[in-house]
Structure formats: structure tokens, C-alpha cells
Amino acid sequence: MRKPLSKSQIVCVSLLWLALCYLVLTKAERIDGMTVVMLIISAALVFIPVYKSIKKNK
């Protein structure tokens, strides 16, 4: 079992994910279905562990 993420780690991971999304959305020639699916999958990969960590801290 891993330790839950600290609040600073959660903030850092969330901000890095938002920065990545910003770069993808601003640099993309067009926003199509694959781009949207990629962003949804990446959000799930980032925020499911964050949610579990927050839930474990309570």
C-alpha cells in the first residue's frame, strides 16, 4: 500500500495536468474526437488516484 498523496502533491499534479491540457488545446491544429478522448483519459488517470488519496485522508 502506498501512502496517500499530500495536499501539495495533489495541487502540483493537478496544476501540471492543467498546464498539459492548456498546451494541447492551444497548440493543436484542430480539436477533434481523439483529442477530447485523450484529455478525458488523462483526466481519469490523474484524478482517480487523487480522489482515492483524498478519500483515504478523511
Side-chain angles (χ1 to χ4, degrees):
M1 297 293 288
R2 294 187 309 179
K3 294 186 334 184
L5 297 171
S6 68
K7 291 183 192 268
S8 60
Q9 288 173 325
I10 291 171
V11 169
C12 184
V13 166
S14 300
L15 289 175
L16 287 171
W17 181 79
L18 286 172
L20 176 67
C21 289
Y22 174 77
L23 287 173
V24 167
L25 292 173
T26 56
K27 302 296 181 182
E29 293 179 10
R30 62 178 186 191
I31 300 172
D32 54 359
M34 288 302 294
T35 305
V36 173
V37 169
M38 183 218 29
L39 291 174
I40 291 170
I41 292 171
S42 69
L45 290 173
V46 169
F47 290 111
I48 288 174
V50 167
Y51 173 74
K52 286 183 178 181
S53 180
I54 290 171
K55 188 177 172 183
K56 189 179 277 192
N57 282 339
K58 289 186 178 182

